[in-house]
Amino acid sequence: MVAVKQEAQQMIQNLPDNCTYEDIQYHLYVVEKIKNGIDRAQKGETSSHEEAKARMAKWLSH
């Protein structure tokens, strides 16, 4: 597994030269959320399509 620091450095190197601190923060945030989602899925912490639809319906009805 690639160390977090090395992964962050690679990600930053792949961003355009004119990127902002906000761009870097956003990309780090997205990578973290994706990795957390993958970890949860591997642990079986997932929702069915029907469960997700029900949760979204509650959220969208407010």
Side-chain angles (χ1 to χ4, degrees):
M1 176 184 281
V2 177
V4 173
K5 183 176 175 180
Q6 289 175 323
E7 190 173 344
Q9 288 172 330
Q10 270 184 306
M11 187 268 308
I12 291 169
Q13 288 297 323
N14 290 328
L15 291 173
D17 289 339
N18 64 344
C19 72
T20 64
Y21 286 113
E22 188 174 325
D23 295 331
I24 294 168
Q25 287 176 314
Y26 171 76
H27 282 80
L28 288 170
Y29 172 81
V30 170
V31 167
E32 179 184 24
K33 292 301 177 183
I34 291 170
K35 287 184 176 295
N36 287 344
I38 291 169
D39 288 342
R40 290 183 67 196
Q42 289 174 340
K43 293 176 184 173
E45 299 172 3
T46 59
S47 300
S48 71
H49 182 71
E50 291 303 317
E51 290 169 329
K53 282 175 36 179
R55 288 175 61 195
M56 289 301 293
K58 289 179 187 176
W59 183 74
L60 293 173
S61 66
H62 292 262

